[in-house]
Amino acid sequence: MSSPTARLLAVATAAALLATGAPAQAATATPGADSTDFASGPNLFAPLATCYGGAVRSFFQTGGYGGQAGPYRTTTRCRDINVRNTSAYATEACVIFIDKTSNCNYWTYLPANSGWTTVATNVRDGVNFRVRFDNLRYEYEPLVAYHAF
């Protein structure tokens, strides 16, 4: 993999696999098609761009012991509710499905400056929810998170 194109293709494939959690599928060969024609194959960035492209930012001036963001409504972009913590400290997050309950589904640990983490899986489209944050101690710095749903 000494060429930059090969490295870029490997990174793109890995990103698509991480985003979808599904094994890669080879594009079916078309008779007479050039093997370097990437435009005719599947769009490996579609799941990544579609889901995280509509991410919403939450900002709490002082993190304190946590807070709530929302309400939001799930969309067709993602099957899961994902959160990314961009704060300088770790936090925990849970989802509250506000039409059914005022309790959290379960707590998910989000390390400082984390990548995207799933906090609720296989959620139907059109479901109203909030994201609740709980910090292990009082924080003087802002809590910043992004939500994709």
Side-chain angles (χ1 to χ4, degrees), residues 74-149:
T74 57
T75 65
T76 58
R77 285 191 306 266
C78 302
R79 281 184 284 185
D80 303 328
I81 298 172
N82 304 284
V83 177
R84 184 177 71 151
N85 177 17
T86 60
S87 300
Y89 56 90
T91 189
E92 292 184 320
C94 73
V95 175
I96 302 167
F97 298 103
I98 56 180
D99 293 338
K100 301 286 183 186
T101 184
S102 59
N103 297 324
C104 285
N105 59 342
Y106 51 84
W107 289 100
T108 302
Y109 178 75
L110 302 170
N113 297 309
S114 71
W116 288 103
T117 303
T118 301
V119 293
T121 59
N122 295 322
V123 182
R124 292 184 337 257
D125 296 340
V127 173
N128 296 312
F129 70 95
R130 292 183 187 275
V131 179
R132 181 177 289 165
F133 297 95
D134 185 39
N135 303 327
L136 304 176
R137 58 192 170 92
Y138 191 85
E139 297 291 344
Y140 294 100
E141 296 158 14
L143 171 63
V144 182
Y146 291 85
H147 318 285
F149 44 91

Side-chain angles (χ1 to χ4, degrees), residues 9-96:
L9 182 60
V11 169
T13 304
L17 287 174
L18 290 173
T20 63
Q25 296 178 349
T28 55
T30 306
D34 183 7
S35 63
T36 60
D37 181 19
F38 295 110
S40 63
N43 182 354
L44 298 178
F45 288 108
L48 185 65
T50 302
C51 185
Y52 301 131
V56 178
R57 180 178 182 250
S58 291
F59 180 84
F60 301 94
Q61 186 64 37
T62 299
Y65 284 107
Q68 287 190 145
Y72 303 118
R73 179 182 287 258
T74 57
T75 65
T76 58
R77 285 191 306 266
C78 302
R79 281 184 284 185
D80 303 328
I81 298 172
N82 304 284
V83 177
R84 184 177 71 151
N85 177 17
T86 60
S87 300
Y89 56 90
T91 189
E92 292 184 320
C94 73
V95 175
I96 302 167

